Structures are given as C-alpha cells and as structure tokens.
Amino acid sequence: ALPNTLQFRLASYYDSLIQDKISNGRFLQDQVLAELPLNLRVEVIRHLYKDLVDNTAFLRGLPYDVMCSIVGQMALVPSDQSVIFTAGEFGHECFVVVQGRVA
C-alpha cells in the first residue's frame, strides 16, 4: 500500500482535477465521464441513470456485457436543444427521450 502522505497527495490531485471540471457552477459530467476507465464509467452511468437503464426495455433484455458497452457510451444531450435530428436523416446514434416529446 502507498504511504498515507502519498495517498493524500494523490487524492488532492484528483480532487483539484475535478474542481477544474466545474464551469460556472455546472459540473461538466460528460467530460469527467469520458476520462474514466470503461468499467468505472459504466458503474457511474448506471448509478446516475439507474431509472433510465432499468426502465428501457431493450437494455433490460441484453446480456450484461452488451448492456455495459451501450451504457458506457451514453451521454446526456442538453435539453436546450430543440432539434436533435430531423426526419429522414441517417442516424449514427440512439436517443432515449427521458423528458419531452418526439414530434
């Protein structure tokens, strides 16, 4: 195990990194998540979006490793975007609407 002083220095370093990810009082969640190792990112996303993951039928029926692969790529799309894509556009992404409507 690392000496306590070195553990403290490492914890302080990572704490300052996270503090740098705060912009105008808003945590830059996607930026921090993108820097995490996949296993940890999946765990954090599953915690943050637990209801979404648990209530999305196609995720519930998938093998765990496939679900983790999909969840590891999830990102929050800002709600201030009124149009994410238009009808007829070729898609490269999958969206799950948590709040709002599809027109």
Side-chain angles (χ1 to χ4, degrees):
L2 295 174
N4 288 339
T5 54
L6 186 53
Q7 289 180 30
F8 178 77
R9 287 178 53 208
L10 283 169
S12 296
Y13 170 76
Y14 281 106
D15 185 50
S16 69
L17 277 181
I18 290 174
Q19 292 302 319
D20 289 342
K21 306 286 185 212
I22 297 174
S23 173
N24 298 325
R26 185 175 161 267
F27 186 65
L28 300 176
Q29 178 176 303
D30 288 341
Q31 185 178 353
V32 171
L33 286 173
E35 295 174 3
L36 293 176
L38 181 61
N39 322 19
L40 189 53
R41 182 169 59 238
V42 168
E43 286 184 50
V44 171
I45 290 172
R46 287 201 67 188
H47 175 77
L48 291 173
Y49 304 122
K50 182 179 181 352
D51 291 339
L52 174 68
V53 172
D54 291 347
N55 295 314
T56 302
F58 80 89
L59 291 175
R60 275 196 315 263
L62 294 175
Y64 183 78
D65 59 329
V66 174
M67 183 275 303
C68 288
S69 178
I70 292 171
V71 169
Q73 301 302 314
M74 292 176 87
L76 187 63
V77 176
S79 61
D80 58 349
Q81 287 184 293
S82 56
V83 177
I84 297 172
F85 62 92
T86 57
E89 249 183 323
F90 186 76
H92 298 280
E93 297 163 324
C94 174
F95 294 92
V96 177
V97 178
V98 176
Q99 183 178 6
R101 66 184 176 89
V102 177

